Coordinates of all heavy atoms in Angstrom, one line a residue:
G1 N 0.8 -1.2 0.0 CA 0.0 0.0 0.0 C 0.8 1.2 0.0 O 2.1 1.2 -0.2
Q2 N 0.2 2.3 0.2 CA 0.7 3.8 0.0 C 1.9 3.9 1.0 O 1.9 3.7 2.2 CB -0.3 4.7 0.4 CG 0.0 6.1 -0.3 CD -0.4 6.2 -1.7 OE1 -1.3 5.5 -2.2 NE2 0.4 6.9 -2.4
T3 N 3.1 4.4 0.5 CA 4.2 4.7 1.3 C 4.6 6.3 1.1 O 5.4 6.7 1.9 CB 5.4 3.9 0.8 OG1 5.6 4.2 -0.5 CG2 5.3 2.4 1.0
D4 N 3.9 6.9 0.3 CA 4.0 8.4 0.3 C 2.7 9.0 0.3 O 1.7 8.4 0.4 CB 4.7 8.6 -1.1 CG 5.3 10.1 -1.2 OD1 5.2 10.8 -0.2 OD2 5.9 10.5 -2.2
Q5 N 2.7 10.3 0.2 CA 1.3 11.1 0.3 C 0.3 10.7 -0.8 O 0.9 10.5 -2.0 CB 1.6 12.6 0.1 CG 0.4 13.5 0.2 CD 0.7 14.9 0.1 OE1 1.9 15.3 -0.2 NE2 -0.2 15.7 0.1
D6 N -0.8 10.5 -0.5 CA -1.8 10.2 -1.4 C -2.4 11.5 -2.1 O -3.4 11.9 -1.9 CB -3.0 9.5 -0.7 CG -4.1 8.9 -1.7 OD1 -3.8 9.0 -2.9 OD2 -5.0 8.4 -1.2
V7 N -1.5 11.8 -3.1 CA -1.8 13.1 -3.7 C -3.2 13.2 -4.5 O -3.6 14.3 -4.7 CB -0.7 13.4 -4.8 CG1 0.7 13.6 -4.1 CG2 -0.5 12.4 -5.9
T8 N -3.7 12.1 -4.9 CA -5.0 12.1 -5.5 C -6.2 12.0 -4.6 O -7.2 12.1 -4.9 CB -5.1 11.0 -6.6 OG1 -5.0 9.7 -5.9 CG2 -3.9 11.0 -7.7
F9 N -5.9 11.7 -3.4 CA -6.9 11.5 -2.3 C -7.9 10.4 -2.5 O -9.0 10.4 -2.3 CB -7.6 12.9 -1.9 CG -6.7 13.9 -1.4 CD1 -6.2 14.9 -2.2 CD2 -6.4 14.0 0.1 CE1 -5.4 15.9 -1.7 CE2 -5.5 14.9 0.5 CZ -5.1 16.0 -0.2
A10 N -7.3 9.4 -3.3 CA -8.2 8.3 -3.8 C -8.4 7.3 -2.7 O -9.6 6.7 -2.8 CB -7.5 7.6 -5.0
Q11 N -7.6 7.1 -1.8 CA -7.7 6.1 -0.7 C -8.0 4.7 -1.2 O -8.9 4.0 -0.5 CB -8.7 6.7 0.3 CG -8.4 8.0 1.0 CD -9.3 8.5 2.0 OE1 -10.3 7.7 2.3 NE2 -9.2 9.6 2.6
I12 N -7.3 4.3 -2.2 CA -7.5 3.1 -2.7 C -6.4 2.2 -2.6 O -6.3 1.0 -3.1 CB -8.0 3.1 -4.2 CG1 -6.9 3.7 -5.1 CG2 -9.3 3.7 -4.4 CD1 -7.1 3.7 -6.5
A13 N -5.4 2.5 -1.9 CA -4.2 1.8 -1.6 C -3.8 1.8 -0.2 O -2.7 2.2 0.3 CB -2.9 2.4 -2.5
Q14 N -4.8 1.4 0.6 CA -4.6 1.4 2.1 C -3.5 0.5 2.5 O -3.3 -0.7 2.0 CB -5.9 1.1 2.8 CG -7.0 2.0 2.5 CD -6.7 3.4 3.0 OE1 -6.4 3.7 4.0 NE2 -7.0 4.3 2.1
T15 N -2.6 0.7 3.5 CA -1.5 0.0 3.9 C -2.0 -1.2 4.7 O -2.9 -1.1 5.5 CB -0.6 0.8 4.8 OG1 -0.2 1.9 4.1 CG2 0.6 -0.1 5.2
K16 N -1.5 -2.4 4.2 CA -1.8 -3.7 4.9 C -0.6 -4.6 4.9 O 0.1 -4.9 3.9 CB -3.0 -4.3 4.1 CG -3.5 -5.6 4.8 CD -4.8 -6.1 4.0 CE -5.4 -7.2 4.8 NZ -6.7 -7.7 4.1
Q17 N -0.4 -5.3 6.0 CA 0.7 -6.3 6.1 C 0.2 -7.6 5.5 O -0.7 -8.2 5.8 CB 1.0 -6.6 7.6 CG 2.1 -7.7 7.7 CD 3.6 -7.0 7.8 OE1 3.7 -5.8 8.0 NE2 4.5 -7.9 7.4
V18 N 0.9 -8.1 4.4 CA 0.5 -9.3 3.7 C 1.7 -10.1 3.5 O 2.9 -9.8 3.6 CB -0.1 -9.0 2.4 CG1 -1.4 -8.1 2.5 CG2 0.8 -8.4 1.4
T19 N 1.5 -11.4 3.2 CA 2.6 -12.4 3.0 C 2.4 -13.1 1.5 O 1.2 -13.3 1.2 CB 2.6 -13.6 4.0 OG1 2.8 -12.9 5.3 CG2 3.5 -14.5 3.7
V20 N 3.5 -13.2 0.9 CA 3.4 -13.6 -0.5 C 4.3 -14.9 -0.6 O 5.5 -14.8 -0.2 CB 3.9 -12.6 -1.6 CG1 3.9 -13.1 -2.9 CG2 2.9 -11.4 -1.4
P21 N 3.7 -16.0 -1.1 CA 4.7 -17.2 -1.2 C 5.8 -17.0 -2.3 O 5.5 -16.2 -3.1 CB 3.6 -18.3 -1.5 CG 2.3 -17.8 -1.2 CD 2.4 -16.3 -1.3
P22 N 6.7 -17.8 -2.4 CA 7.7 -17.7 -3.4 C 7.2 -18.0 -4.7 O 6.2 -18.8 -5.0 CB 8.8 -18.7 -3.0 CG 8.1 -19.7 -2.2 CD 7.0 -18.9 -1.5
F23 N 7.7 -17.4 -5.8 CA 7.3 -17.6 -7.1 C 8.4 -17.2 -8.2 O 9.4 -16.5 -7.7 CB 6.0 -16.8 -7.6 CG 6.2 -15.4 -7.3 CD1 6.5 -14.4 -8.4 CD2 5.9 -14.7 -6.1 CE1 6.5 -13.2 -8.2 CE2 6.0 -13.4 -5.8 CZ 6.3 -12.6 -6.9
F24 N 8.3 -17.6 -9.4 CA 9.3 -17.2 -10.4 C 8.5 -16.2 -11.2 O 7.4 -16.2 -11.5 CB 9.6 -18.3 -11.4 CG 10.4 -19.5 -10.7 CD1 9.7 -20.5 -10.5 CD2 11.7 -19.2 -10.4 CE1 10.4 -21.7 -9.8 CE2 12.3 -20.4 -9.7 CZ 11.7 -21.5 -9.5
M25 N 9.3 -15.1 -11.7 CA 8.7 -14.1 -12.5 C 9.5 -13.8 -13.7 O 10.8 -13.9 -13.7 CB 8.7 -12.7 -11.6 CG 7.7 -11.7 -12.3 SD 7.5 -10.3 -11.2 CE 6.0 -9.6 -11.6
D26 N 8.8 -13.4 -14.9 CA 9.6 -13.0 -16.0 C 10.6 -11.9 -15.6 O 10.2 -10.9 -15.2 CB 8.7 -12.7 -17.1 CG 8.2 -13.9 -17.8 OD1 8.7 -15.0 -17.8 OD2 7.0 -13.8 -18.5
Q27 N 11.8 -12.1 -16.1 CA 12.8 -10.9 -15.7 C 12.5 -9.6 -16.5 O 12.7 -8.6 -16.0 CB 14.3 -11.5 -16.0 CG 15.3 -10.5 -15.6 CD 16.8 -11.0 -15.9 OE1 16.9 -11.8 -16.8 NE2 17.7 -10.5 -15.1
M28 N 11.9 -9.7 -17.6 CA 11.5 -8.6 -18.5 C 10.1 -8.7 -19.0 O 9.5 -9.8 -18.9 CB 12.5 -8.6 -19.7 CG 14.0 -8.6 -19.2 SD 15.1 -8.8 -20.7 CE 16.6 -9.3 -19.9
E29 N 9.6 -7.8 -19.5 CA 8.3 -7.6 -20.1 C 8.3 -8.6 -21.2 O 9.2 -8.8 -21.9 CB 7.8 -6.2 -20.4 CG 7.8 -5.2 -19.2 CD 8.2 -3.8 -19.6 OE1 9.0 -3.7 -20.4 OE2 7.8 -3.0 -18.8
T30 N 7.1 -9.2 -21.5 CA 6.9 -10.0 -22.7 C 7.2 -9.2 -23.9 O 6.5 -8.1 -24.2 CB 5.5 -10.6 -22.7 OG1 5.2 -11.3 -21.6 CG2 5.4 -11.4 -23.9

């Protein structure tokens, strides 16, 4: 979620502690 000022005041990126399991990701865009 948000780490800087919400300049748009949208309030759609509220901070939340989450856990993500491991994964592989394409190093570059397709």
